[in-house]
Amino acid sequence: MQAKGSKLWASALAEAAPTPFWTDRPERPAPTEPLTTATTADLAVIGGGYSGLWTALLAKERDPNTDVVLIESAMCGHAASGRNGGFCAASLTHGLANGVDRFPDEIDDLERLGRANLDAIEDAVRRYRIDCDFERTGELEVATASHELEWLQESHDSATSLGYRSDLMDAAAVQNLVHSPTYLGGWWDRDGVAMLDPARLAWGLRRACLELGVRIYEGTPVQRISKSHGGALNLHTPHGEVRAPRVALCTSAFAGPLPKVSRHVVPVYDYALMTEPLTDEQLHAIGWKDRMGLGDASYRFHYYRLTSDNRILFGGYDAIYHFGGRIAPALEYNEATFETLARHFFQTFPQLDGLRFTHRWGGIIDTCGRFCAFFGSAYKGRLVYAAGYTGLGVGATRFGAEVMLDQLWGMDTERTRLRLVRSRPLPLPPEPLRSAGIQLTRWSLARADARQGRRNLWLKTLDYTGLGFDS
């Protein structure tokens, strides 16, 4: 299907800056000094994204006397935490459907803990005066093909069975909320998702950590870990080292100094566009008065939302893996994907003819075989890690930080007893099987979208083995 004006997308992209919108701000904080000496700490945190920042902050909240050092290879929030879509979800399992499939016996507890976690994030934003445009709008999932209406019904039924405020809508009701010729129906989870500015959340958490006495060293990659006398661990960096009895590894999709984590993690590139601010007339043309996040129900889905100054972020669809799990700055820019997203944007909102994009960018997501976080340990429990958040780390990383702190201090809690925490996904096969399997899966998902959602033998095999790619 062609957008209104077959090359409308080309002119709309012409002046889009190849950089993340969220971090392209004058208020971006100056980096801290790198580590240049040897030091000690009660807790060392490796990684300055949401996972590491929440871990450091919560450790200080639990005991202000805990000496915490956070080490970041670049700058806090520079990677996924500063360039994502800003959807802060309550789900700990990458959606209710995935949670029901994988953890049916504890889904009620996981959902309750996830909602409490989102409440706690909202409370922290308020207490630490983090100006990140936090809006508890919920998320509207829309059907753009007739077979997706049944999926929305299933999501609505599951949500209402747990007592959530959930609205199932026909085409007319959805059009009353947001005007798009592609929408056939919708399901609105009113309470389970908040919209926010992801970079400002990261910067706000960083500031809160510093105010509580966390020592942050940016521009300081951890090159290796070794055992020290007395059971502590040494973290070796280019110009210094940290010795600590407890270490939290929070490197997300990046390999980090513990290779075994990478056997379970697949770094995939996701891409997004940001428009210029909409005029009042343009806003009226699309409705969207309740400002909820939006996503379509297809396997290769798009996500989109309004910013505080009424721009539209539009991302998703392509999830690109490079052979060997390659990560490089050049891979953050994929013109073919940007063009595809622009075409899809104007198919969704043809009434926005003439709107231009100001930014285009990409970044890596740490996905895994079960689509939600997994946990593990090394060095006889002195080091713990969490990874595999699969795009829902804006919210779930805070819960993961609580889990890691429970584990490091040897606490038996409701969190540590969860099968979600005690189990791990199957390791991914080595190359070239890994790359071949991922590319076959991407092709199969596109084919399923074109065939009324019917999953082929390959996808059914993945489902059977617990590696079902369903979103």
Side-chain angles (χ1 to χ4, degrees):
M1 181 172 64
Q2 293 291 318
K4 181 182 178 182
S6 61
K7 294 298 181 181
L8 178 63
W9 53 267
S11 60
L13 281 170
E15 299 179 4
T19 190
F21 166 79
W22 306 113
T23 54
D24 190 20
R25 313 270 188 82
E27 69 265 33
R28 182 174 182 169
T32 62
E33 293 295 321
L35 180 67
T36 57
T37 186
T39 188
T40 62
D42 298 321
L43 169 66
V45 179
I46 304 173
Y50 293 140
S51 185
L53 291 167
W54 279 119
T55 301
L57 183 66
L58 292 172
K60 277 294 193 181
E61 287 187 349
R62 291 185 178 197
D63 182 356
N65 294 318
T66 302
D67 184 17
V68 181
V69 165
L70 186 151
I71 303 174
E72 163 56 42
S73 63
M75 184 174 176
C76 292
H78 82 285
S81 297
R83 60 181 66 205
N84 62 79
F87 285 64
C88 186
S91 177
L92 305 176
T93 58
H94 203 264
L96 183 55
N98 190 53
V100 169
D101 286 345
R102 300 185 186 278
F103 309 102
D105 295 336
E106 60 187 29
I107 189 61
D108 289 2
D109 293 330
L110 289 169
E111 286 293 306
R112 172 177 52 80
L113 290 167
R115 298 278 166 151
N117 182 65
L118 182 57
D119 291 341
I121 292 171
E122 184 173 12
D123 178 66
V125 167
R126 176 188 55 78
R127 285 188 292 111
Y128 291 109
R129 308 175 310 283
I130 299 175
D131 182 14
C132 63
D133 300 323
F134 189 98
E135 295 182 275
R136 195 93 174 239
T137 59
E139 181 178 2
L140 176 65
E141 187 175 11
V142 295
T144 58
S146 58
H147 66 272
E148 296 167 2
L149 294 170
E150 181 179 348
W151 299 347
L152 298 187
Q153 179 72 60
E154 293 171 356
S155 297
H156 169 71
D157 292 345
S158 294
T160 54
S161 71
L162 292 169
Y164 298 155
R165 287 201 307 155
S166 171
D167 293 342
L168 186 68
M169 302 175 177
D170 60 15
V174 172
Q175 295 293 338
N176 190 49
L177 287 175
V178 187
H179 314 320
S180 170
T182 66
Y183 297 167
L184 305 179
W187 165 60
W188 188 2
D189 174 5
R190 287 179 171 267
D191 301 317
V193 183
M195 298 293 106
L196 53 77
D197 182 318
R200 284 177 175 159
L201 175 61
W203 297 340
L205 293 173
R206 176 183 182 273
R207 173 182 53 78
C209 285
L210 290 169
E211 289 174 353
L212 292 181
V214 175
R215 290 180 286 149
I216 297 178
Y217 298 99
E218 294 171 316
T220 305
V222 175
Q223 298 171 316
R224 65 184 180 91
I225 301 173
S226 66
K227 297 178 183 178
S228 179
H229 64 275
L233 299 177
N234 284 332
L235 310 184
H236 301 271
T237 77
H239 304 291
E241 65 180 52
V242 180
R243 186 164 68 90
R246 299 177 179 88
V247 176
L249 180 64
C250 308
T251 53
S252 185
F254 294 91
L258 194 65
K260 73 175 186 178
V261 180
S262 298
R263 293 198 290 267
H264 300 274
V265 174
V266 175
V268 296
Y269 277 85
D270 180 55
Y271 298 91
L273 304 174
M274 185 70 84
T275 74
E276 62 191 346
L278 273 64
T279 65
D280 290 342
E281 292 77 15
Q282 289 169 327
L283 272 175
H284 180 73
I286 60 172
W288 213 342
K289 56 182 179 296
D290 290 294
R291 302 183 58 83
M292 71 290 284
L294 283 165
D296 52 64
S298 58
Y299 288 122
R300 301 179 71 186
F301 63 92
H302 308 84
Y303 56 86
Y304 37 119
R305 47 78 57 92
L306 289 168
T307 64
S308 61
D309 60 348
N310 293 326
R311 301 169 183 263
I312 298 177
L313 178 146
F314 193 83
Y317 188 72
D318 270 346
I320 298 177
Y321 173 79
H322 296 276
F323 188 88
R326 189 162 68 97
I327 296 172
L331 301 179
E332 296 171 4
Y333 309 101
N334 187 314
E335 293 306 321
T337 296
F338 295 142
E339 292 170 3
T340 296
L341 285 174
R343 288 198 305 272
H344 292 177
F345 177 89
F346 288 110
Q347 289 167 10
T348 303
F349 296 126
Q351 62 269 51
L352 296 182
D353 183 351
L355 191 68
R356 292 181 176 269
F357 299 104
T358 61
H359 295 76
R360 66 191 195 278
W361 72 93
I364 51 173
I365 293 173
D366 60 329
T367 192
C368 67
R370 71 183 193 186
F371 294 99
C372 59
F374 64 91
F375 303 86
S377 64
Y379 298 101
K380 297 182 179 180
R382 293 193 178 276
L383 180 148
V384 300
Y385 57 85
Y389 288 98
T390 317
L392 262 67
V394 180
T397 46
R398 185 194 174 280
F399 176 83
E402 296 272 29
V403 169
M404 287 189 286
L405 292 173
D406 288 350
Q407 292 174 328
L408 284 171
W409 266 264
M411 301 170 63
D412 178 21
T413 67
E414 180 184 17
R415 288 183 289 262
T416 61
R417 291 191 294 270
L418 290 167
R419 190 165 69 84
L420 170 76
V421 172
R422 292 183 290 105
S423 63
R424 275 185 288 180
L426 293 172
L428 280 300
E431 296 290 13
L433 295 177
R434 176 180 292 201
S435 185
I438 291 171
Q439 301 310 330
L440 177 56
T441 299
R442 292 183 72 241
W443 177 83
S444 297
L445 290 174
R447 184 172 173 81
D449 278 334
R451 300 174 67 240
Q452 293 76 51
R454 293 195 295 273
R455 297 168 76 84
N456 63 14
L457 181 60
W458 174 250
L459 293 179
K460 290 178 180 178
T461 300
L462 293 180
D463 294 338
Y464 180 76
T465 59
L467 290 171
F469 283 64
D470 57 2
S471 57

